[in-house]
Amino acid sequence: MLLEENVPLAPLTTFRIGGPARQFVEAHTPAEVAEAVSHAQSRSLPLFVLGGGSNLVVGDSGWPGLVLRIAITGIERRPGETDGKAIFDVGAGEIWDRFVSEAVRANCAGIECLSGIPGSVGGTPVQNVGAYGQEVSHTIESVEAFDLKDRQVRELCNEACGFSYRSSIFNTSERGRFIIVRVTYALTPNSAPFLEYADLKRHFEGRESAPTLAETREAIRHIRARKGMLIVEGDPDCRSAGSFFKNPVLSEHQHDDLRKRAEVKNLTIPSYPALDRSRKVSAAWLVEHSGFSRGFGFGHVGISSKHALAIVNRGNATAAEVLALRDQIQQRVEEIWGILLEPEPVFVGI
Ligand SMILES: Cc1cc2nc3c(=O)[nH]c(=O)nc-3n(C[C@H](O)[C@H](O)[C@H](O)COP(=O)(O)OP(=O)(O)OC[C@H]3O[C@@H](n4cnc5c(N)ncnc54)[C@H](O)[C@@H]3O)c2cc1C
């Protein structure tokens, strides 16, 4: 393995922000992951695991230890089917959208609505990536991960991953314990696409024949590009970490309070049912109705001109500027709506 020193991290992130890694190494196999971990542990270097860098805010002074970039590739479909499912074993370092494209080409349903999400396959279980009504928790069969506790590779079944909205054990209770090396997906061959979301229904309105998986994938990429949520070379609105805040999940009582605040202003909050009698409300709506409209500028950072939920790097931005805008938005939203928005990206070295 090639160990490098003082490697700039900004170019390895979609935000294009942040200082260097003191040390940097890429692992192409689980054995190399083990080797990198031993290197970090024997020198007491703090370890950060990097995937595609699409959900990160890296601090201006960078990372004081070892950054381990997972570059384990490979998409393998097992022969035959298991309980009517096509099983794919995918290396954690594969580009997520490449896997979605392969699955759609093989006419396997289950992840078509997750087309166009940047990042690696290994990054998807971490925050239970989701969009347009699908989440990876619906199709992940198991996750193979290197356990830093006993330095063994172990297999975690779907239930053991503790998935919920934008959450799993990997970013909550067991944060920092596992390095994901492979993810196994169970997809449904020759099945129809999932077309429940309003944006998608609108896209196909008036069509006589049912859309195929490939058409659904293209529709999703098209819708995402319109919102600045697809990485398009040269589009300044996608120099971001995607949605910067999670949609708040509120109890009935909290939701009532929010509704009353909105009624006073003659407004209706977009919300939809979530689990256990709770409701999920649109964080984008809260941000926009707190004085931060699309295109809002704040030094070298701002809000995407296509989506109120994305903080964007307008060129030469620093992490300090991102944090200042985050704080401003959180304070205003809390003052006006009584809700503390929770950021979605991972803060590294901050
Ligand atoms: C334009 C844009 C649109 C987006 N749209 C969506 C969306 O629709 N839905 C959604 O859910 N997300 C979205 N995201 C966020 C992001 O793409 C996902 O969270 C993605 O899965 C992150 O994967 P990554 O490989 O880039 O992880 P990174 O950003 O590199 O890392 C994120 C976290 O995962 C950990 N991690 C990464 N790989 C591994 C591994 N192999 N083992 C252990 N830990 C690991 C890191 O340590 C870090 O804590 C979007 C981002 C952008 C920039």
Side-chain angles (χ1 to χ4, degrees):
M1 281 193 305
L2 177 66
L3 188 72
E4 295 175 83
E5 304 246 330
N6 216 21
V7 171
L9 291 173
L12 301 176
T13 69
T14 51
F15 227 152
R16 298 279 187 263
I17 289 176
R22 183 172 156 197
Q23 295 197 348
F24 180 91
V25 75
E26 271 189 359
H28 298 88
T29 62
E32 288 186 350
V33 168
E35 204 183 314
V37 167
S38 299
H39 172 86
Q41 287 181 342
S42 64
R43 287 161 185 80
S44 302
L45 289 168
L47 178 69
F48 178 73
V49 179
L50 176 69
S54 63
N55 209 24
L56 305 179
V57 182
V58 177
D60 295 318
S61 51
W63 181 251
L66 177 71
V67 169
L68 167 60
R69 185 160 181 272
I70 304 302
I72 302 168
T73 54
I75 301 175
E76 278 168 36
R77 183 176 177 173
R78 294 188 199 164
E81 286 173 14
T82 308
D83 299 331
K85 300 286 181 189
I87 308 294
F88 291 82
D89 298 304
V90 191
E94 273 295 343
I95 295 170
W96 168 253
D97 199 45
R98 191 169 100 80
F99 170 48
V100 179
S101 157
E102 293 244 333
V104 165
R105 197 169 324 128
N107 209 27
C108 290
I111 53 175
E112 63 281 356
C113 295
L114 306 177
S115 292
I117 296 179
S120 66
V121 165
T124 59
V126 176
Q127 71 154 6
N128 181 20
V129 157
Y132 300 98
Q134 286 182 333
E135 289 182 349
V136 290
S137 62
H138 300 154
T139 41
I140 286 180
E141 178 86 356
S142 61
V143 171
E144 211 175 290
F146 181 88
D147 187 344
L148 280 117
K149 245 186 185 170
D150 57 6
R151 301 193 194 184
Q152 298 290 317
V153 173
R154 56 182 74 249
E155 190 176 302
L156 289 94
C157 67
N158 180 300
E159 292 68 30
C161 296
F163 291 122
S164 61
Y165 170 63
R166 292 300 176 274
S167 160
S168 72
I169 61 162
F170 307 111
N171 68 356
T172 56
S173 58
E174 303 295 345
R175 183 187 201 123
R177 173 172 167 187
F178 293 106
I179 301 175
I180 296 161
V181 295
R182 203 173 310 281
V183 187
T184 298
Y185 291 85
L187 305 181
T188 314
N190 309 317
S191 181
F194 187 79
L195 300 171
E196 292 302 310
Y197 257 49
D199 280 349
L200 261 180
K201 284 185 178 162
R202 244 188 324 269
H203 185 93
F204 289 118
E205 222 162 44
R207 248 184 81 123
E208 308 244 305
S209 58
T212 63
L213 287 175
E215 286 168 333
T216 305
R217 171 174 165 74
E218 275 325 299
I220 292 276
R221 288 178 60 89
H222 184 81
I223 294 166
R224 295 187 71 93
R226 227 173 41 218
K227 297 182 175 179
M229 286 290 169
L230 187 76
I231 303 287
V232 176
E233 203 53 47
D235 179 358
D237 276 326
C238 62
R239 226 181 290 128
S240 76
S243 300
F244 201 88
F245 297 104
K246 296 181 188 177
N247 290 324
V249 178
L250 306 180
S251 66
E252 270 180 87
H253 174 71
Q254 288 171 311
H255 187 259
D256 265 1
D257 176 56
L258 183 62
R259 196 175 39 76
K260 283 180 195 147
R261 288 178 193 239
E263 270 168 14
V264 172
K265 296 173 189 288
N266 274 328
L267 295 168
T268 312
I269 339 134
S271 71
Y272 38 102
L275 287 175
D276 301 334
R277 289 191 289 150
S278 52
R279 292 190 77 83
K280 213 190 266 178
V281 300
S282 161
W285 189 93
L286 292 169
V287 170
E288 271 190 304
H289 287 82
S290 303
F292 302 94
S293 49
R294 293 173 207 182
F296 176 89
F298 181 71
H300 299 96
V301 292
I303 307 250
S304 159
S305 66
K306 303 191 183 85
H307 200 302
L309 211 45
I311 291 183
V312 294
N313 172 1
R314 290 151 62 106
N316 302 317
T318 61
E321 288 174 299
V322 173
L323 300 187
L325 181 55
R326 172 200 66 183
D327 293 350
Q328 230 188 82
I329 294 173
Q330 281 180 321
Q331 272 165 23
R332 286 297 288 155
V333 171
E334 197 170 16
E335 268 166 33
I336 299 173
W337 302 106
I339 289 172
L340 180 62
L341 289 179
E342 195 188 332
E344 190 183 295
V346 175
F347 296 91
V348 184
I350 289 172

